């Protein structure tokens, strides 16, 4: 299923016309989509697909304020994944001295892939 | 070898195995990010976003179970990369495995290269099935014996033990990439390999980790002038001096390392001319090449852009010799695909062993195969619903027009979260591995 080639060799008139319509049909949906996008985001960059994307691509990766911020975020992630201990969890701080049963289980840092399970 | 078709001589694809969890809640770490067969096809490696590598080994065909045509079972699994923090830039370095490439086997052990965004590692996977017993200086449990108590010498003997497969990192190639590594490729000389990031390509020797040569550098002096990035790179399968790299602008450059040390000037430049009147906001984005692969013969190369796969003859630079539409119906959905970022998805592509067929993934867990000889194509789906052993896969069809036939699926019903970005074809047989998010599907051709 080859697409019509951009540079066609000399063809007869009907061939050219047919190819033109085919190309126009192939392009028209793209142009319609572009119009839709411009309508939604009128301030979209002037240069189509230009440096904005590339800069974003080169910058890939979540930025943190510093290493402390990074480690805090990692710790928060680990806690989020722990099973919730229920409404009693909130009582641990302040009101009474925590016991080992009250504290959430520490998740092991190395988990085997489920593909190997 | 060809693609499944109707009846006649064409064969059909059957479900063989599926690996991974069934539950709907997919943990980010379990998302498979790369799939690669080794040179013999006996080993199949996967890498995931959690930095883990799982290697499957094909079982020997068992005469007592004639229908089991060599299933792939877990051989080894290890944590290849861990998340790191770049203190200088305050950026997180993901542990996601971007690529795995096997080295050709030279002895009993297996070697592979695995890479994340910044660091490449050479892993040795070896088997241990013997253990020495009867040491003089230590007990069987490892405790040191009191030397004064030793009155006689004995020769330790090797005793068989349960097979243990060990993976150990033999080389760590770090600190050579400022930008994110997208490709690694082992050279046909079996001594060197290249690693490519967005702006640079480096050449390494497998034995040397403290040095690498920069062979391509497209970083402009003024970053404001940046117009394109490197998206993929690969060494030629036979000519150890030749490699190619693709760009975000849809071009491919072939470079010859014999001509100069720094290959900033290409030897060949492959680009399909574009009709300027058909240019739109999306043109450049969808022309960005997400994968480039040489044919096994070394005569052709294949590139994957957002909507199509193109086969290029290395002797012809001005246009591809074949173009295959993967999902042309998406052209009228580009606006929403841009908004949900799917337009930036990087699909890979692969050849079959004889170069007669090519395969690539799509959305809704569909994947497509094209037979280069018959020009037939087929769309198949990786789903648990068609996962009975040896069940023949039914061809799928996306309805583009108004009237939807029974069994067809309309473009608006496609699930864009179910993307098949990574597929691999066994180097010699009709066995394919398809990664569908966190599941690995293995399909084989039907045994008569």
């Amino acid at each position: 299923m080859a697409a019509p080639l951009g540079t066609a060799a000399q063809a007869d008139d009907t061939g050219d016309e047919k190819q033109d319509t085919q190309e126009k049909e192939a392009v028209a949906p793209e142009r319609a989509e572009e119009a839709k996008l411009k309508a939604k985001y009128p301030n979209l960059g002037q240069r189509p697909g230009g440096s904005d994307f590339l800069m974003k691509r080169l910058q890939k990766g979540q930025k943190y304020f510093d290493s402390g911020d990074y480690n805090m975020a990692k710790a928060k992630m680990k806690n989020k994944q722990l099973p919730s201990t229920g409404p009693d969890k909130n009582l641990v701080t302040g009101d009474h001295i925590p016991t080992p049963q009250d504290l959430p289980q520490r998740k092991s840092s190395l988990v085997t892939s489920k593909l190997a399970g | 070898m060809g693609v499944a078709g109707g009846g006649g001589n064409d064969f059909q694809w059957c479900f063989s195995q599926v690996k991974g969890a069934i539950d709907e809640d997919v943990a980010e770490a379990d998302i498979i990010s790369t799939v690669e067969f080794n040179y013999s096809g006996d080993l199949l490696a996967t890498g995931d976003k959690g930095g883990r590598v799982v290697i499957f080994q094909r079982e020997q065909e068992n005469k007592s179970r004639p229908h089991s045509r060599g299933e792939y079972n877990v051989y080894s699994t290890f944590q290849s990369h861990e998340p790191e923090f770049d203190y200088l830039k305050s950026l997180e370095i993901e542990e996601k495995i971007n690529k795995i490439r096997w080295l050709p086997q030279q002895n009993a052990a297996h070697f592979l290269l695995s890479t994340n965004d910044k660091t490449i590692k050479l892993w040795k996977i070896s088997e241990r099935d013997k253990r020495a017993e009867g040491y003089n200086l230590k007990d069987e449990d490892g405790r040191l014996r009191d030397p004064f108590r030793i009155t006689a010498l004995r020769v330790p003997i090797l005793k068989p033990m349960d097979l243990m497969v060990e993976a150990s990192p033999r080389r760590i190639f770090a600190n050579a990439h400022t930008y994110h590594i997208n490709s690694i490729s082992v050279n046909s000389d079996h001594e060197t390999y290249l690693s490519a990031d967005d702006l640079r390509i480096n050449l390494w020797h497998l034995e040397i980790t403290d040095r690498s040569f920069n062979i391509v550098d497209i970083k402009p002096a003024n970053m404001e002038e940046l117009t394109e990035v490197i998206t993929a790179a690969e060494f030629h399968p036979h000519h150890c001096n030749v490699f190619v790299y693709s760009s975000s602008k849809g071009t491919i450059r072939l470079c010859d390392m014999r001509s100069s040390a720094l290959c900033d000037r290409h030897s060949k430049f492959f680009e399909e001319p574009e009709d300027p009147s058909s240019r739109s906001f999306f043109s450049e984005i969808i022309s960005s090449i997400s994968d480039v692969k040489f044919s096994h013969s070394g005569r052709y190369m294949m590139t994957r852009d957002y909507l199509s796969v193109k086969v290029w003859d290395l002797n012809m630079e001005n246009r591809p010799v074949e173009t295959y539409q993967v999902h042309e119906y998406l052209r009228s959905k580009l606006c929403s695909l841009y908004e949900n970022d799917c337009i930036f998805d990087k699909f890979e592509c692969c050849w079959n062993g004889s170069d007669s067929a090519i395969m690539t993934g799509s959305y809704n867990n569909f994947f497509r195969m094209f037979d280069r000889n018959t020009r037939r194509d087929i769309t198949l789906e990786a789903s648990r619903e068609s996962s009975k052993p040896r069940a023949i896969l039914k061809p799928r069809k996306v309805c583009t027009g108004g009237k939807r036939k029974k069994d067809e699926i309309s473009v608006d019903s496609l699930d864009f979260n179910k993307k098949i970005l990574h597929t691999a074809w066994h180097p010699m047989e009709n066995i394919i591995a398809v990664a569908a998010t966190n599941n690995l599907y293995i399909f084989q051709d039907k045994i008569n």
Side-chain angles (χ1 to χ4, degrees), chain B residues 359-414:
Chain B
M359 167 168 64
T360 189
S362 179
Y363 294 104
N364 210 71
N365 277 355
F366 287 172
F367 55 100
R368 304 262 286 138
M369 285 193 222
F370 304 94
D371 186 317
R372 296 177 64 214
N373 300 323
T374 64
R375 292 311 180 109
R376 302 250 288 268
D377 64 273
I378 191 168
T379 306
L380 297 172
E381 181 180 2
S383 97
R384 294 259 174 187
E385 280 161 20
S386 13
S387 59
K388 284 211 316 258
R390 296 186 303 283
I392 294 175
L393 295 182
K394 208 176 69 166
R396 309 288 283 143
K397 192 139 178 5
V398 177
C399 155
T400 50
K403 269 195 169 175
R404 187 178 74 91
K405 293 198 199 116
K406 187 177 102 123
D407 283 353
E408 283 186 0
I409 182 166
S410 76
V411 183
D412 295 311
S413 310
L414 294 174

Side-chain angles (χ1 to χ4, degrees), chain B residues 53-112:
Chain B
V53 171
V54 181
I55 301 175
F56 301 92
Q57 183 187 47
R58 193 173 181 195
E59 298 300 333
Q60 297 290 353
E61 285 185 32
N62 199 333
K63 290 223 161 67
S64 62
R65 288 177 59 208
H67 290 300
S68 136
R69 263 199 53 221
E71 281 193 344
Y72 284 86
N73 295 318
V74 180
Y75 179 64
S76 172
T77 177
F78 54 92
Q79 186 80 31
S80 173
H81 288 72
E82 300 257 6
E84 286 175 70
F85 188 68
D86 180 341
Y87 291 92
L88 193 62
K89 297 183 190 151
S90 294
L91 281 175
E92 181 180 25
I93 301 172
E94 275 190 307
E95 67 274 35
K96 170 168 90 97
I97 309 293
N98 292 335
K99 286 278 160 30
I100 289 174
R101 288 287 182 264
W102 290 93
L103 265 57
Q105 193 174 7
Q106 288 174 329
N107 52 38
H110 298 278
F111 288 87
L112 61 78

Side-chain angles (χ1 to χ4, degrees), chain B residues 8 53 71 130 155 167 176 179 203 225 246 302 326 340 353 406:
Chain B
V53 171
E71 281 193 344
K130 287 185 267 288
V155 179
Y179 301 98
L203 180 71
E225 291 164 25
S246 57
M302 161 167 60
V326 182
N340 63 18
K406 187 177 102 123

Side-chain angles (χ1 to χ4, degrees), chain A residues 109-113, chain B residues 48-53 77-83 95 97 121 123 167 169:
Chain A
S109 43
L110 223 73
V111 181
T112 319
S113 165
Chain B
D48 65 22
K49 270 195 165 186
R52 299 162 301 191
V53 171
T77 177
F78 54 92
Q79 186 80 31
S80 173
H81 288 72
E82 300 257 6
E95 67 274 35
I97 309 293
K121 295 188 185 181
W123 287 88

Side-chain angles (χ1 to χ4, degrees), chain A residues 17-28:
Chain A
E17 222 173 75
K18 201 169 166 199
Q19 188 162 359
D20 247 351
T21 342
Q22 265 184 314
E23 273 177 21
K24 285 214 177 86
E25 277 170 16
V27 169

